[in-house]
């Protein structure tokens, strides 16, 4: 999905990123999509294996809009 792709790109650019959705199921789908993007990038030699974990560590997931604070939305 577009939101997962944007979160991935920002995390790759070293930003701490929070992905918001009203559904836990959609957030799980987004996380799976991001993992797939990273694994494909690794398999194609575009990133190192350690970058998978580093990127995933920069992405948080929430359904609680009140918990969101940001420098960039």
């Amino acid at each position: 999905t577009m939101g997962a792709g944007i979160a991935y790109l920002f995390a790759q650019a070293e930003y701490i990123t929070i992905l918001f959705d009203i559904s836990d199921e959609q957030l799980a789908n987004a996380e799976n999509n991001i993992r797939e993007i990273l694994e494909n990038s690794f398999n194609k030699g575009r990133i190192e294996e350690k970058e998978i974990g580093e990127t995933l560590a920069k992405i948080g997931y929430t359904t609680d809009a009140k918990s969101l604070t940001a420098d960039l939305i």
Side-chain angles (χ1 to χ4, degrees):
T1 63
M2 190 165 111
I6 293 168
Y8 157 77
L9 289 174
F10 272 84
Q12 281 281 288
E14 302 295 323
Y15 288 95
I16 301 298
T17 306
I18 306 296
L19 191 56
F20 167 79
D21 201 291
I22 60 171
S23 162
D24 285 324
E25 182 180 337
Q26 290 293 55
L27 289 174
N29 289 338
E31 184 174 8
N32 289 334
N33 288 340
I34 292 168
R35 285 181 186 280
E36 187 175 307
I37 291 167
L38 289 164
E39 288 170 4
N40 286 339
S41 293
F42 170 71
N43 290 335
K44 292 178 181 180
R46 294 180 183 153
I47 64 172
E48 295 181 19
E49 188 171 16
K50 70 177 186 160
E51 291 178 74
I52 294 173
E54 292 171 351
T55 300
L56 290 173
K58 291 182 184 83
I59 303 174
Y61 303 87
T62 189
T63 57
D64 181 13
K66 292 180 182 180
S67 72
L68 298 174
T69 59
D71 294 327
L72 177 66
I73 296 179

